[in-house]
Amino acid sequence: MARAPVLAAGGIVLRQGDTPLFAVVRLRKRNEWVLPKGKLDDGETPRAAAEREVLEETGHDVSVHEFLGTLVYESNRGSKVVHYWRMEARGGQVHALMRDVKAVDWLPLDLAVERLSRGYERAFLANVGPLALEGAAVGGTARPPKTGQPEPFSDAAVPAPALEPENHDAFRTAQGRRSLVQKVRDWLRRGA
């Protein structure tokens, strides 16, 4: 019997300045640099979980903006589905970092992409980072597509990452799970 996917949410978190900076967090356990994210609590919506996790992992209050996409990958515990929103940090750090996080760095997009330890997160940020910058530049919300705003969690809302060769097979496997993705979409629609 297949295990249910682990559902998580997080943020592509920007801090405005002369050069907008992206948050990346360093995990204490594996000493890896990752995007801020975490698992949903029982009964929690993905958007609420994303805001809570970003506060816990970066220590910053954030304003949550548009949905940027979904990253699906295999972890040692099975499939993981992570939904990301564009967020902007408000002011300085207001909360102590959670115990699992060793550090937070704020970097320009290209350096943030390089700093990430996992290839699939590098590919994802390389694709959604420019969308986040565009959204921030137009006053807090991204321009909707000419055909109208896509339905949340639809294929249109999920950017196609430019994958590195070593991650291509993992991504193809994740993309082939249409029934799994459809189940997650249905679950999210009920919870939103």
Side-chain angles (χ1 to χ4, degrees):
M1 179 176 205
R3 283 197 247 182
V6 173
L7 300 175
I12 304 301
V13 187
L14 287 154
R15 189 165 67 191
Q16 293 297 339
D18 291 340
T19 300
L21 303 175
F22 289 78
V24 293
V25 298
R26 189 174 200 171
L27 300 177
R28 194 172 298 282
K29 189 174 184 179
R30 291 186 204 95
N31 208 30
E32 294 178 310
W33 288 96
V34 298
L35 294 170
K37 65 184 169 304
K39 293 185 267 187
L40 277 64
D41 288 339
D42 288 339
E44 189 174 35
T45 65
R47 189 178 187 279
E51 188 171 8
R52 175 184 54 77
E53 287 289 342
V54 166
L55 174 62
E56 291 174 359
E57 293 193 358
T58 68
H60 284 76
D61 275 327
V62 294
S63 54
V64 181
H65 298 282
E66 70 277 357
F67 175 75
L68 288 175
T70 299
L71 183 59
V72 180
Y73 58 92
E74 292 297 318
S75 71
N76 57 357
R77 295 185 181 136
S79 297
K80 192 164 190 177
V81 178
V82 187
H83 301 292
Y84 286 95
W85 280 261
R86 180 177 66 85
M87 299 181 183
E88 290 193 37
R90 295 183 282 210
Q93 186 173 334
V94 297
H95 189 276
L97 300 179
M98 66 184 300
R99 244 168 96 158
D100 296 347
V101 174
K102 189 175 186 176
V104 178
D105 267 359
W106 295 90
L107 303 166
L109 179 57
D110 57 339
L111 296 177
V113 168
E114 286 178 28
R115 176 71 56 90
L116 292 169
S117 299
R118 302 169 182 170
Y120 51 84
E121 283 193 346
R122 285 192 303 270
F124 186 76
L125 183 58
N127 280 273
V128 301
L131 297 173
L133 290 170
E134 180 182 339
V138 295
T141 57
R143 288 174 269 184
K146 291 180 183 174
T147 59
Q149 186 68 23
E151 178 181 349
F153 312 112
S154 70
D155 287 340
V158 180
L163 291 172
E164 299 172 13
E166 72 265 18
N167 298 317
H168 187 68
D169 290 340
F171 183 75
R172 189 176 327 149
T173 299
Q175 288 297 305
R177 296 173 190 241
R178 289 290 177 209
S179 62
L180 173 64
V181 171
Q182 188 58 48
K183 288 177 189 175
V184 170
R185 284 188 188 128
D186 293 343
W187 178 84
L188 288 168
R189 284 187 188 109
R190 286 191 306 268

mmCIF file of all heavy atoms in Angstrom, residues 45 65-66 71 75 97-99 110 114 130 140 154-155:
data_model
loop_
_atom_site.group_PDB
_atom_site.id
_atom_site.type_symbol
_atom_site.label_atom_id
_atom_site.label_comp_id
_atom_site.label_asym_id
_atom_site.label_seq_id
_atom_site.Cartn_x
_atom_site.Cartn_y
_atom_site.Cartn_z
ATOM 1 N N THR A 45 -4.563 25.024 6.859
ATOM 2 C CA THR A 45 -4.528 25.217 5.414
ATOM 3 C C THR A 45 -3.076 25.370 4.968
ATOM 4 O O THR A 45 -2.227 25.800 5.767
ATOM 5 C CB THR A 45 -5.318 26.469 4.976
ATOM 6 O OG1 THR A 45 -4.675 27.630 5.498
ATOM 7 C CG2 THR A 45 -6.779 26.395 5.428
ATOM 8 N N HIS A 65 1.685 36.821 -0.329
ATOM 9 C CA HIS A 65 1.126 37.298 -1.594
ATOM 10 C C HIS A 65 0.686 36.111 -2.448
ATOM 11 O O HIS A 65 0.152 35.154 -1.911
ATOM 12 C CB HIS A 65 2.140 38.201 -2.300
ATOM 13 C CG HIS A 65 2.467 39.412 -1.485
ATOM 14 N ND1 HIS A 65 1.649 40.508 -1.399
ATOM 15 C CD2 HIS A 65 3.522 39.683 -0.670
ATOM 16 C CE1 HIS A 65 2.176 41.410 -0.586
ATOM 17 N NE2 HIS A 65 3.319 40.926 -0.132
ATOM 18 N N GLU A 66 0.958 36.152 -3.730
ATOM 19 C CA GLU A 66 0.418 35.142 -4.635
ATOM 20 C C GLU A 66 1.105 33.784 -4.499
ATOM 21 O O GLU A 66 2.256 33.681 -4.091
ATOM 22 C CB GLU A 66 0.475 35.606 -6.100
ATOM 23 C CG GLU A 66 1.863 35.697 -6.694
ATOM 24 C CD GLU A 66 2.561 36.999 -6.367
ATOM 25 O OE1 GLU A 66 1.984 37.884 -5.723
ATOM 26 O OE2 GLU A 66 3.724 37.123 -6.764
ATOM 27 N N LEU A 71 6.199 22.093 -5.540
ATOM 28 C CA LEU A 71 7.376 21.255 -5.763
ATOM 29 C C LEU A 71 7.053 19.873 -5.208
ATOM 30 O O LEU A 71 6.652 19.755 -4.050
ATOM 31 C CB LEU A 71 8.581 21.867 -5.060
ATOM 32 C CG LEU A 71 9.929 21.184 -5.223
ATOM 33 C CD1 LEU A 71 10.338 21.109 -6.683
ATOM 34 C CD2 LEU A 71 10.987 21.924 -4.428
ATOM 35 N N SER A 75 11.387 11.915 -0.771
ATOM 36 C CA SER A 75 12.281 12.020 0.366
ATOM 37 C C SER A 75 12.431 10.628 0.961
ATOM 38 O O SER A 75 11.830 9.668 0.465
ATOM 39 C CB SER A 75 11.723 13.000 1.404
ATOM 40 O OG SER A 75 10.591 12.449 2.040
ATOM 41 N N LEU A 97 14.710 31.839 16.075
ATOM 42 C CA LEU A 97 14.649 30.745 15.097
ATOM 43 C C LEU A 97 14.292 29.444 15.804
ATOM 44 O O LEU A 97 14.693 29.220 16.955
ATOM 45 C CB LEU A 97 16.000 30.580 14.397
ATOM 46 C CG LEU A 97 16.531 31.786 13.625
ATOM 47 C CD1 LEU A 97 17.881 31.451 13.013
ATOM 48 C CD2 LEU A 97 15.544 32.239 12.571
ATOM 49 N N MET A 98 13.562 28.584 15.109
ATOM 50 C CA MET A 98 13.251 27.287 15.691
ATOM 51 C C MET A 98 14.531 26.479 15.862
ATOM 52 O O MET A 98 15.540 26.754 15.209
ATOM 53 C CB MET A 98 12.220 26.549 14.839
ATOM 54 C CG MET A 98 12.706 26.145 13.459
ATOM 55 S SD MET A 98 11.438 25.382 12.428
ATOM 56 C CE MET A 98 10.998 23.971 13.381
ATOM 57 N N ARG A 99 14.499 25.505 16.727
ATOM 58 C CA ARG A 99 15.701 24.722 17.062
ATOM 59 C C ARG A 99 16.348 24.019 15.876
ATOM 60 O O ARG A 99 17.559 23.851 15.838
ATOM 61 C CB ARG A 99 15.315 23.656 18.086
ATOM 62 C CG ARG A 99 15.994 23.846 19.399
ATOM 63 C CD ARG A 99 15.369 22.989 20.416
ATOM 64 N NE ARG A 99 16.113 21.746 20.569
ATOM 65 C CZ ARG A 99 16.045 21.010 21.636
ATOM 66 N NH1 ARG A 99 15.260 21.354 22.628
ATOM 67 N NH2 ARG A 99 16.740 19.911 21.732
ATOM 68 N N ASP A 110 20.573 35.057 -7.636
ATOM 69 C CA ASP A 110 21.574 34.139 -8.174
ATOM 70 C C ASP A 110 22.383 33.451 -7.067
ATOM 71 O O ASP A 110 22.666 32.253 -7.138
ATOM 72 C CB ASP A 110 22.491 34.828 -9.192
ATOM 73 C CG ASP A 110 23.219 36.046 -8.631
ATOM 74 O OD1 ASP A 110 22.771 36.616 -7.613
ATOM 75 O OD2 ASP A 110 24.250 36.427 -9.219
ATOM 76 N N GLU A 114 22.443 29.390 -5.879
ATOM 77 C CA GLU A 114 23.702 28.661 -5.694
ATOM 78 C C GLU A 114 23.844 28.082 -4.296
ATOM 79 O O GLU A 114 24.396 26.997 -4.113
ATOM 80 C CB GLU A 114 24.901 29.586 -5.958
ATOM 81 C CG GLU A 114 25.147 29.898 -7.404
ATOM 82 C CD GLU A 114 26.317 30.860 -7.572
ATOM 83 O OE1 GLU A 114 27.232 30.866 -6.714
ATOM 84 O OE2 GLU A 114 26.314 31.614 -8.559
ATOM 85 N N PRO A 130 12.364 34.837 -10.433
ATOM 86 C CA PRO A 130 12.034 35.999 -11.264
ATOM 87 C C PRO A 130 10.557 36.394 -11.163
ATOM 88 O O PRO A 130 10.232 37.583 -11.200
ATOM 89 C CB PRO A 130 12.389 35.527 -12.682
ATOM 90 C CG PRO A 130 13.464 34.500 -12.457
ATOM 91 C CD PRO A 130 13.050 33.783 -11.197
ATOM 92 N N GLY A 140 3.334 44.527 -4.950
ATOM 93 C CA GLY A 140 2.816 43.554 -3.999
ATOM 94 C C GLY A 140 2.038 42.413 -4.588
ATOM 95 O O GLY A 140 1.829 41.420 -3.929
ATOM 96 N N SER A 154 -3.574 24.663 -9.889
ATOM 97 C CA SER A 154 -3.751 24.064 -11.205
ATOM 98 C C SER A 154 -2.394 23.945 -11.879
ATOM 99 O O SER A 154 -1.417 24.545 -11.464
ATOM 100 C CB SER A 154 -4.673 24.933 -12.063
ATOM 101 O OG SER A 154 -4.025 26.132 -12.418
ATOM 102 N N ASP A 155 -2.341 23.163 -12.961
ATOM 103 C CA ASP A 155 -1.075 23.012 -13.694
ATOM 104 C C ASP A 155 -0.553 24.358 -14.163
ATOM 105 O O ASP A 155 0.646 24.570 -14.231
ATOM 106 C CB ASP A 155 -1.258 22.095 -14.893
ATOM 107 C CG ASP A 155 -1.402 20.646 -14.482
ATOM 108 O OD1 ASP A 155 -0.995 20.286 -13.351
ATOM 109 O OD2 ASP A 155 -1.935 19.876 -15.280
#
